[in-house]
Amino acid sequence: MAKVLVVYYSKTGNTGRLADQIEQELVAAGKEIEKIRLAEEKDHSFLRDALRALFRVKGKIKEANFNLEGYDAIFFGTPVWAGSPAPALNEYLEECQGLEGKEVSIFVTYGSGLGKGRAMRMLKEMVERKGGRVIQKLAVQEKEVFKKVELKIVR
Ligand SMILES: Cc1cc2nc3c(=O)[nH]c(=O)nc-3n(C[C@H](O)[C@H](O)[C@H](O)COP(=O)(O)O)c2cc1C
């Protein structure tokens, strides 16, 4: 059975809710799924988080599985922070192994929508730098994260 990994960071839960919706769709499509919610070692203020994201900081994250070898498809999710992905996901994408040739889906949640295209482009570039192939992108406004998502079903 195809095994799908969903790796995401969520500070206030919105991206986590979207990850849950994605999980439901994948399960309904008969996929075996694992989810990793990244956690930063330290908590930072709103302003610091925005600046860290803007300057593409890689946040120190708690221990996580960085080995992607055993999965057929991967999803990466993050909130949009200052038009950028969150530092925890930057760090994960730097450290992970085995993304080469994999089908990758990226998802973001956002507030106003300012910079969401930029954040997704940055995320796509990071995935491609590690050899992943981005096959779909989802961007959901924070108020819409409880809604059912339409997914292109992965391998
Ligand atoms: C530090 C910070 C920076 C943010 N910057 C943006 C932004 O540039 N554009 C935007 O549309 N929303 C921005 N937001 C709103 C978040 O993207 C939105 O609330 C998101 O759903 C939070 O996800 P989470 O609950 O998974 O942490 C920002 C939120 C925070 C905390």
Side-chain angles (χ1 to χ4, degrees), residues 34-88:
E34 271 176 45
K35 277 194 298 187
I36 298 178
R37 180 178 184 165
L38 302 173
E40 285 215 70
E41 281 189 358
K42 266 174 65 183
D43 209 28
H44 303 273
S45 69
F46 177 91
L47 184 63
R48 252 200 120 69
D49 275 341
L51 288 171
R52 291 164 71 238
L54 189 62
F55 289 102
R56 298 185 167 209
V57 165
K58 295 174 185 78
K60 276 220 172 76
I61 53 178
K62 292 185 185 157
E63 191 49 41
N65 174 17
F66 291 108
N67 181 2
L68 306 176
E69 300 286 354
Y71 302 95
D72 302 293
I74 326 277
F75 282 69
F76 290 114
T78 175
V80 175
W81 279 3
S84 315

Side-chain angles (χ1 to χ4, degrees), residues 4-25:
V4 183
L5 179 68
V6 179
V7 181
Y8 67 96
Y9 174 74
S10 180
K11 186 160 189 178
T12 51
N14 298 329
T15 312
R17 283 176 204 110
L18 179 55
D20 292 344
Q21 297 295 337
I22 290 170
E23 175 177 24
Q24 281 181 25
E25 288 300 299

Side-chain angles (χ1 to χ4, degrees), residues 59 89 100:
L89 192 62
E100 299 80 10

